[in-house]
Amino acid sequence: MVGQCEAIVKGDDHEREELKKWMTIGIPIQSKKGEFLGVLGILIQDWIASADNTSLIASFRQLTKCAVEIWENTKNRLETEGLLEGAIHLFSEGYLAIQDGCVITCNKRAESLLLEDPALLNRVIDNLKNLSGSEILFRTSTVQNSFEIKGRVENHIYHLLLNRIRTTEDKTRKQKASIKNIVGTSSIFLKNIKLAELASQMDANVLILGESGTGKELFARAIHRGSSRRDKPFIAINCAAMPRELLNSELFGYVEGAFTGARRGGSPGKFELANGGTLFLDEIGDMPIEQQAALLRVLQEKEVVRIGGSAMIPIDVRIISATNKRLTQEIAYNGSFRSDLYYRLNVFTIELTPLRNRREDIPELVAYFLQELSHTTGLPEKSIDGHAIEAFMRYSWPGNVRELRNVVERSFYLSGYAEIISLKHIPEYVAFRDEIDHHVESARSSDSISKPQEIDRISATPNDLGTQDIKSIRLMKVETEKHEIARILHQNNGNISRCAKELGMSRTTLYRKLKDYNFM
């Protein structure tokens, strides 16, 4: 019976003399399952105890029951917290929980990332101050590291997952293209990133819109790499670069003898080559309208017939298309694009932001391109000074990221052995954009210059910048030409004929310049 009922000993019933003025109560402590845990011993002065102790014992019994429940709940909570604590250390991503600007818990991966970049935590907390809503997605970068942070806010606690985005690997840009590797931290660009992540999780057709040079193919490859089709082929075709006579055979293939010059045994088309994977139709807005009908039929039937053949070949292909045109306008006003094909392609749309609308990403992009160039050429890493970056930030970049990369690459080579790229190494139309724009505006407002060709002449060359500026510009032109000749010579292993042809000058002129620049 021990542990199942209460025991009461009053005054003189005690054996020990010092307890004869007390009443002793023993109440068993049991778990919810009836397991005996112990005894609650209570001593009460005898004169306080009433003749009827039933209600008193019932109160203590209830108190004991409540205490046990609290203990068991606390134990369960601690066990649960222990399980969760162990689980977060299994995450491949860094996990942080932040409340009131302080870290309340984190996993080992997060500790490692914070040790590698000690300023990361402060940058994360600063970013959180400027965010609203429950969903969190932003990026923070330095020259060495770039991180993506995503998560949610629950009960004023930020639950965050940290991913480091690697910027240099022993792979080509096309091979390593993934959504996490796309460079950019501006809020407007991160919306493009989020849409790309959503697109990679579904198998619907995707239409990517954007100006030339915004990275449409990069996004297409990244979506493919993040999708369930990542281990299958990614096949790209430029619809604008392909002659209309060859476009059908490139897309659908042909059988032997289909036309003069057809390969023996025939040839599969891009649809067959991409079977199970992704077909990227670049510049889809330039596809001739007669080919659009054939493409629509293949998308509807999921079968392709080679040119000159009759066999139906089943295909399983995801279509990602891209264009720099407004297809709705092409449909409504020009009639150059089929509306039914548009609706087939436009299941999921991503409109990429031009570089001029996300200028805050320019320093990070420049640093990335310089790292990449150093990595691929084996040359020492270079940095860029503040004046050159300011010029980059002022320029409008009509060619977007493609133009920026071209300018960075050119400046990388023209800087020679210099460790820092400065204003003199970048193209004049970028370096002196402000002066050029100022003089064009002055010309437009001046009565003395009213002809458009005069304005064009001024916008093409930075006139009236002062004698000293003109001399500096001429010197820069000489240095630019000198470094360009050195680069071409290096590329062609000193072959004068090939260098002269690539530079667009005669061998005699090249020899003269080599002598003038002390190359020989």
Side-chain angles (χ1 to χ4, degrees):
M1 297 295 290
V2 174
Q4 296 183 13
C5 61
E6 295 82 10
I8 302 173
V9 181
K10 295 182 180 180
D12 293 337
D13 293 338
H14 288 97
E15 293 182 1
R16 298 178 60 174
E17 188 66 32
E18 62 267 25
L19 295 176
K20 291 187 181 294
K21 292 182 179 181
W22 295 82
M23 180 175 70
T24 307
I25 303 173
I27 299 176
I29 302 173
Q30 295 177 316
S31 69
K32 290 180 181 179
K33 297 179 180 179
E35 299 170 337
F36 177 71
L37 301 175
V39 176
L40 174 64
I42 303 167
L43 285 96
I44 304 173
Q45 284 185 332
D46 195 25
W47 62 270
I48 297 176
S50 61
D52 182 12
N53 300 298
T54 306
S55 59
L56 182 64
I57 293 173
S59 298
F60 280 123
R61 188 188 300 120
Q62 185 62 33
L63 179 63
T64 304
K65 183 179 180 182
C66 290
V68 169
E69 287 184 1
I70 292 171
W71 176 79
E72 287 190 330
N73 289 338
T74 303
K75 182 183 177 184
N76 291 337
R77 180 175 60 81
L78 291 173
E79 288 177 352
T80 303
E81 287 179 355
L83 289 172
L84 291 174
E85 187 75 18
I88 64 173
H89 290 298
L90 298 176
F91 293 174
S92 59
E93 301 161 305
Y95 170 77
L96 274 178
I98 296 177
Q99 185 177 33
D100 298 327
C102 299
V103 177
I104 57 176
T105 187
C106 67
N107 65 0
K108 293 178 181 178
R109 176 59 178 159
E111 288 178 357
S112 174
L113 294 175
L114 293 175
L115 283 173
E116 291 177 22
D117 188 348
L120 174 60
L121 181 59
N122 289 334
R123 296 202 307 274
V124 169
I125 292 173
D126 288 342
N127 273 280
L128 292 176
K129 294 176 182 176
N130 302 319
L131 296 178
S132 60
S134 59
E135 296 289 337
I136 297 168
L137 174 64
F138 63 89
R139 289 182 175 185
T140 176
S141 301
T142 62
V143 174
Q144 291 80 18
N145 295 303
S146 184
F147 296 92
E148 182 178 80
I149 293 90
K150 56 186 176 182
R152 288 184 61 84
V153 183
E154 297 285 350
N155 298 322
H156 306 290
I157 299 176
Y158 294 93
H159 299 276
L160 307 175
L161 292 177
L162 281 65
N163 274 303
R164 181 164 56 186
I165 305 167
R166 302 190 180 277
T167 54
T168 52
E169 297 178 7
D170 286 323
K171 297 179 180 180
T172 65
R173 295 177 72 229
K174 288 185 178 180
Q175 287 175 324
K176 69 176 182 178
S178 70
I179 296 170
K180 295 186 184 303
N181 286 335
I182 298 176
V183 179
T185 57
S186 61
S187 58
I188 191 170
F189 187 66
L190 286 180
K191 291 179 181 177
N192 295 153
I193 296 289
K194 191 170 184 178
L195 286 173
E197 288 180 336
L198 288 173
S200 68
Q201 295 167 14
M202 57 186 69
D203 205 39
N205 293 337
V206 179
L207 176 62
I208 304 176
L209 304 174
E211 297 177 7
S212 178
T214 50
K216 295 187 289 294
E217 183 172 350
L218 181 65
F219 266 79
R221 289 182 180 276
I223 291 169
H224 170 74
R225 295 268 302 179
S227 72
S228 58
R229 297 175 181 264
R230 66 177 66 88
D231 297 324
K232 299 296 182 179
F234 177 92
I235 304 294
I237 182 170
N238 190 311
C239 300
M242 191 67 57
R244 65 176 61 201
E245 296 81 10
L246 297 179
L247 189 57
N248 276 346
S249 60
E250 281 292 316
L251 284 173
F252 312 127
Y254 56 85
V255 298
E256 183 176 346
F259 50 82
T260 302
R263 184 183 302 172
R264 186 174 182 180
S267 177
K270 302 297 186 188
F271 272 98
E272 288 182 67
L273 295 174
N275 196 29
T278 302
L279 178 61
F280 177 55
L281 301 175
D282 198 10
E283 304 299 348
I284 187 69
D286 294 300
M287 176 179 279
I289 194 132
E290 55 268 23
Q291 268 80 32
Q292 293 176 28
L295 174 60
L296 178 64
R297 189 195 65 79
V298 172
L299 296 181
Q300 289 174 334
E301 304 299 329
K302 298 188 181 300
E303 292 178 332
V304 67
V305 179
R306 292 189 184 184
I307 294 175
S310 58
M312 293 283 189
I313 303 172
I315 55 165
D316 173 26
V317 174
R318 182 192 195 178
I319 302 295
I320 301 179
S321 49
T323 181
N324 57 12
K325 293 184 175 181
R326 291 285 178 185
L327 294 185
T328 51
Q329 294 181 6
E330 297 296 319
I331 294 168
Y333 302 113
N334 301 331
S336 58
F337 202 84
R338 294 178 62 110
S339 59
D340 45 5
L341 177 59
Y342 172 73
Y343 295 123
R344 277 281 176 182
L345 299 173
N346 187 31
V347 178
F348 197 98
T349 305
I350 302 173
E351 186 164 0
L352 299 185
T353 307
L355 186 58
R356 63 182 174 275
N357 292 340
R358 58 181 188 108
R359 294 176 190 268
E360 59 266 44
D361 288 338
I362 289 175
E364 184 183 0
L365 286 164
V366 170
Y368 173 78
F369 292 142
L370 288 175
Q371 281 186 347
E372 187 183 52
L373 286 165
S374 174
H375 186 72
T376 54
T377 61
L379 297 174
E381 286 192 14
K382 299 188 179 189
S383 59
I384 188 164
D385 71 14
H387 295 299
I389 284 291
E390 287 175 7
F392 283 173
M393 297 290 280
R394 290 192 299 266
Y395 185 60
S396 60
W397 300 106
N400 292 292
V401 180
R402 183 185 292 124
E403 183 184 7
L404 175 63
R405 191 187 189 286
N406 176 272
V407 169
V408 171
E409 183 176 10
R410 177 181 175 183
S411 304
F412 181 87
Y413 289 118
L414 292 183
S415 60
Y417 294 104
E419 293 181 356
I420 298 176
I421 296 172
S422 61
L423 205 59
K424 67 181 181 180
H425 300 126
I426 68 177
E428 296 168 20
Y429 68 88
V430 176
F432 298 105
R433 188 72 256 168
D434 280 356
E435 288 88 343
I436 293 171
D437 289 344
H438 170 73
H439 288 284
V440 170
E441 195 61 37
S442 299
R444 284 176 176 153
S445 59
S446 172
D447 293 333
S448 60
I449 301 177
S450 58
K451 296 179 181 179
Q453 58 267 34
E454 286 295 308
I455 295 175
D456 292 340
R457 179 181 62 80
I458 290 175
S459 65
T461 57
N463 286 337
D464 301 327
L465 299 178
T467 305
Q468 190 62 39
D469 288 335
I470 290 295
K471 289 180 180 178
S472 298
I473 292 171
R474 286 173 180 167
L475 182 61
M476 283 176 60
K477 286 183 177 179
V478 169
E479 289 298 313
T480 298
E481 185 178 57
K482 181 178 177 181
H483 287 302
E484 183 71 4
I485 289 174
R487 185 179 69 85
I488 299 298
L489 277 170
H490 178 73
Q491 281 185 352
N492 292 283
N493 297 317
N495 188 300
I496 298 296
S497 296
R498 287 204 298 265
C499 288
K501 184 176 181 180
E502 192 167 337
L503 290 165
M505 60 179 69
S506 66
R507 284 166 53 91
T508 304
T509 302
L510 179 56
Y511 274 117
R512 177 174 58 78
K513 289 184 180 293
L514 291 174
K515 187 175 181 181
D516 291 343
Y517 296 145
N518 296 319
F519 284 115
M520 57 185 303

